[in-house]
Amino acid sequence: MPVTIRDVARASGVHISTVSRTFSAPHLVNPETRVRVLACAEDLGYRPNRAARALITGRTHNIGLIIADIANPFFPPLIKAAESQARHRDYHVFVADTNEDAAAEEELVHALAKQVDGVLLCSPRMSNSLIEQLSREVPLVVVNRQLAGLPCVLMDVGQGARSAIEHLAGLGHREIALLAGPRGSWTSRELRRAAGAAARAAGAELTVLGPNPPTEAGGLAQAEQVRRAGVTAVLAYNDLMAIGLLEGLDALGVRVPQEVSVVGVDDITLSRLTRPKLTTVATPTAAAGRTAVDMLLQHDTEFPRTGRGGGAAVAVGARRTTAQVMLQTELVIRDSTAPGPYAGRDGPGATAAGPGPHRRADPGTPSVVAGDVVAS
Amino acid sequence: MPVTIRDVARASGVHISTVSRTFSAPHLVNPETRVRVLACAEDLGYRPNRAARALITGRTHNIGLIIADIANPFFPPLIKAAESQARHRDYHVFVADTNEDAAAEEELVHALAKQVDGVLLCSPRMSNSLIEQLSREVPLVVVNRQLAGLPCVLMDVGQGARSAIEHLAGLGHREIALLAGPRGSWTSRELRRAAGAAARAAGAELTVLGPNPPTEAGGLAQAEQVRRAGVTAVLAYNDLMAIGLLEGLDALGVRVPQEVSVVGVDDITLSRLTRPKLTTVATPTAAAGRTAVDMLLQHDTEFPRTGRGGGAAVAVGARRTTAQVMLQTELVIRDSTAPGPYAGRDGPGATAAGPGPHRRADPGTPSVVAGDVVAS
DNA sequence: GATCTCTTTGCAAACCTTTGCAGTGAAGTA
DNA sequence: TACTTCACTGCAAAGGTTTGCAAAGAGATC
């Protein structure tokens, strides 16, 4: 029933190889023949069978997208951008959700490996060594995790955390809490490291609470601890937690930002809609999705992964980029941060309320590109 | 480099067909042989090549999920549930985003047809006739659209609209606006039909504003119209639009719910987080995703789609369900609705403020199952 | 001991495409 | 005219798996 290359060949009176070439190497076939074949193909509604093509070329024209939690609003813009970018390059995207589970991640990479030309690992919870091991099975691009020797797309949350802490310190906060993210999260470690350093530099004290699930519930559950810790400002791992915290503090009768200032990370759509509107570190999510796909497919035209007689070519030519792209973040000041107890007093950085509100501008272009192309 | 069935056969000293059977028809191979083969396969890290398998069986063990807009928070829970359910049945999921574009939808179905065993069409914008035509190319399950002769998963937004209008009328509203959704949306038509009937029954007047893009911006853009229409209550196509409207009204200095009551549809996570919290018609999104996958895969073990010698079996056996499943919705009353100008006066349904707040319970089970299994 | 049945295994074709190689014929060159 | 070059096309193998058929061997039955 399904129409194959053979049907097109019969209809247009040429050999199947000519039909094949009409699609995959048009310059090799006579223009007249080409239009005839194309017309027949159109007529019959022929579409090349990708499975058969994959079998021989070794390239599936599919990529895998492994996501910690699709329901986390951080990810949909990334998925959308990646899917769109992939489709422009004639790739289709498998999406899989791990529920924040490292074991599921590993299994998914294995399961997808044979079906895709590469996998985007978004905010993985696995160990670095496991990721490295898996990268020998299938090309990997890692988002939100830094790994030597692997292509990574990073968001500069360190810079974001610094900006946030400086903003808070500038407002006169000295006792700041950090709501950590999930165990295994590179972003959470980065945040902690940078926020700690920035706090020290600003003469503020940083209390780390967590790890926590990166959800609204995770933030809500920490409201009590935040109050008990006696801090006047909080930096949360992400907006979802910040919003949960907003709710929790509200329930406890703690006013934001009058009594406690709250800063999130991500700038999800939601963060503009809460009351108070959330001050947050905007991350260029869509750009990350696009960039990751581009990095994965960088060499797609040059080097087939396997295929007939390709043994040597693969060994010699299958270079993989290990470039690491760092995308800029930006502090977006809204209504959830306000002057704290030391406002106006002397002290490092206690100058002003910082620069006025920013509009988020998705940078789209990397600020830092490190690494190089090496033979794998 | 990649390990094939041949490597396993060599390692375990049997023919490749025996290895194949070990995986796809274990009962046909001697238990001793089986464990040996399994051990070798495990050792070598063998995974069957799905493309090769698909080539001969005609079943890819993939499904396609075509989504109007991944960034619309209505969809991620559906995607997540569908992906999870599919994976339990050993299927992988292609996700594709159409950007609310009917032409993109059609192209995507074509592009995916050869690569999947079926496609879930979520909230399609195409015409019915086009969907029917495409369903001859690849098995389709349609979500949020009613189509005779095709399996559909519907949410009872008609009932939801009735509840919402009755709730508003009960609160004493007589001038109600409906913010319609996008052109081509079945849900929007249903909403309009049911809300119109319910309004008439309650002696209220319904003004339809739209069509509108189903986004926050779409709702925001209608705030001015809403004020000018002089209505005291609004039912929006979805929560996103309702939230946009909330913002727009706020900007215009119109207080919600004191001056205007607002009701959304979907009960996305966000709707609990706005101020005021949004009264909305909860739709069982996750259940819809699960159900749709189940309907698509209902016969997957019984009837291969194509394959050697399968001609007759297909013609006779490839029955497709055309069952239509209707999932219940539920009005969740929060803080964006309040008594209107006719509160307490006589009039149909003007009794009380309704049945008090509900907690959303994802029904998970269909309330109505219609249709039957027919040979296609 | 011959025949039959049943379980287990091997053989080889088939799925649809790509691609190296060789063949054809025409145009160009000496 | 004889030879080379070139553009185009056909041939056939290959990719990894499934599966109908047949063969082999072990018991069971008579």
Side-chain angles (χ1 to χ4, degrees), chain A residues 178-200:
Chain A
L178 172 68
L179 259 50
R183 214 180 295 278
S185 158
W186 174 85
T187 300
S188 187
R189 283 197 302 274
E190 274 299 291
L191 226 41
R192 184 169 176 166
R193 195 184 51 67
R200 265 193 305 282

Side-chain angles (χ1 to χ4, degrees), chain B residues 226-259:
Chain B
V226 165
R227 182 169 65 172
R228 206 176 305 155
V231 299
T232 61
V234 183
L235 172 60
Y237 169 74
N238 67 9
D239 286 351
L240 231 37
M241 283 178 61
I243 289 166
L245 180 64
L246 247 38
E247 283 193 288
L249 291 176
D250 187 58
L252 293 173
V254 178
R255 287 169 306 152
V256 176
Q258 293 85 346
E259 296 174 64

Side-chain angles (χ1 to χ4, degrees), chain B:
Chain B
M1 194 59 186
V3 31
T4 78
I5 204 174
R6 225 168 292 274
D7 301 314
V8 179
R10 200 174 313 118
S12 47
V14 299
H15 193 262
I16 58 163
S17 57
T18 302
V19 178
S20 172
R21 277 187 276 256
T22 302
F23 287 98
S24 50
H27 60 282
L28 289 181
V29 13
N30 185 314
E32 285 177 39
T33 318
R34 199 191 312 162
V35 300
R36 189 154 39 92
V37 170
L38 250 20
C40 289
E42 174 76 25
D43 262 15
L44 297 164
Y46 168 73
R47 302 252 170 176
N49 182 325
R50 287 191 177 218
R53 178 180 284 181
L55 197 52
I56 182 161
T57 63
R59 327 215 74 248
T60 61
H61 267 246
N62 295 146
I63 68 178
L65 192 49
I66 298 184
I67 303 281
D69 178 13
I70 296 175
N72 180 336
F74 170 78
F75 289 108
L78 193 156
I79 300 173
K80 187 171 172 119
E83 197 267 336
S84 162
Q85 187 76 356
R87 190 130 43 84
H88 281 137
R89 291 161 153 272
D90 196 27
Y91 274 71
H92 289 150
V93 178
F94 282 111
V95 172
D97 183 304
T98 69
N99 272 311
E100 298 272 348
D101 176 16
E105 272 176 4
E106 181 184 1
E107 175 52 30
L108 239 12
V109 173
H110 282 130
L112 247 29
K114 283 268 184 46
Q115 288 205 91
V116 300
D117 297 336
V119 170
L120 261 50
L121 225 48
C122 298
S123 303
R125 305 294 179 231
M126 287 185 280
S127 69
N128 281 0
S129 60
L130 189 48
I131 295 178
E132 273 161 18
Q133 183 188 321
L134 290 173
S135 78
R136 283 192 287 273
E137 190 171 340
V138 57
L140 246 40
V141 169
V142 187
V143 178
N144 274 345
R145 177 89 142 236
Q146 187 157 34
L147 259 148
L150 276 188
C152 301
V153 177
L154 304 163
M155 320 213 192
D156 199 347
V157 286
Q159 175 55 44
R162 260 189 304 282
S163 304
I165 296 294
E166 284 164 10
H167 166 62
L168 292 171
L171 285 168
H173 295 278
R174 292 287 178 278
E175 308 284 336
I176 305 176
L178 172 68
L179 258 51
R183 215 179 294 278
S185 158
W186 174 84
T187 299
S188 188
R189 283 198 302 274
E190 276 298 292
L191 225 43
R192 184 168 177 168
R193 194 184 53 68
R200 264 193 306 281
E205 190 172 341
L206 190 78
T207 311
V208 178
L209 266 27
N212 306 288
T215 60
E216 195 201 330
L220 194 118
Q222 286 286 3
E224 184 61 42
Q225 309 295 332
V226 165
R227 182 169 65 172
R228 206 176 305 155
V231 299
T232 61
V234 183
L235 172 60
Y237 169 74
N238 67 9
D239 286 351
L240 231 37
M241 283 178 61
I243 289 166
L245 180 64
L246 247 38
E247 283 193 288
L249 291 176
D250 187 58
L252 293 173
V254 178
R255 287 169 306 152
V256 176
Q258 293 85 346
E259 296 174 64
V260 172
S261 287
V262 174
V263 180
V265 173
D266 285 350
D267 195 23
I268 59 179
T269 316
L270 209 92
S271 61
R272 288 198 328 275
L273 301 170
T274 53
R275 292 296 138 81
K277 296 180 179 172
L278 192 65
T279 293
T280 187
V281 175
T283 52
T285 326
R290 276 195 301 275
T291 307
V293 168
D294 282 342
M295 287 173 74
L296 192 60
L297 268 28
Q298 202 160 16
H299 301 303
D300 67 340
T301 48
E302 310 170 41
F303 308 111
R305 198 147 66 84
T306 67
R308 182 138 77 115
V314 168
V316 180
R319 318 170 131 245
R320 290 224 210 120
T321 178
T322 60
Q324 313 218 329
V325 176
M326 179 77 83
L327 301 171
Q328 271 177 319
T329 60
E330 188 180 7
L331 181 66
V332 180
I333 297 170
R334 298 204 182 92
D335 310 331
S336 65
T337 48
Y342 296 83
R345 302 217 204 151
D346 63 336
T351 51
H358 288 284
R359 277 309 318 134
R360 169 182 183 172
D362 188 320
T365 49
S367 66
V368 179
V369 178
D372 199 8
V373 173
V374 297
S376 64

Side-chain angles (χ1 to χ4, degrees), chain A residues 335-351:
Chain A
D335 310 331
S336 65
T337 47
Y342 297 84
R345 305 217 203 151
D346 62 338
T351 51

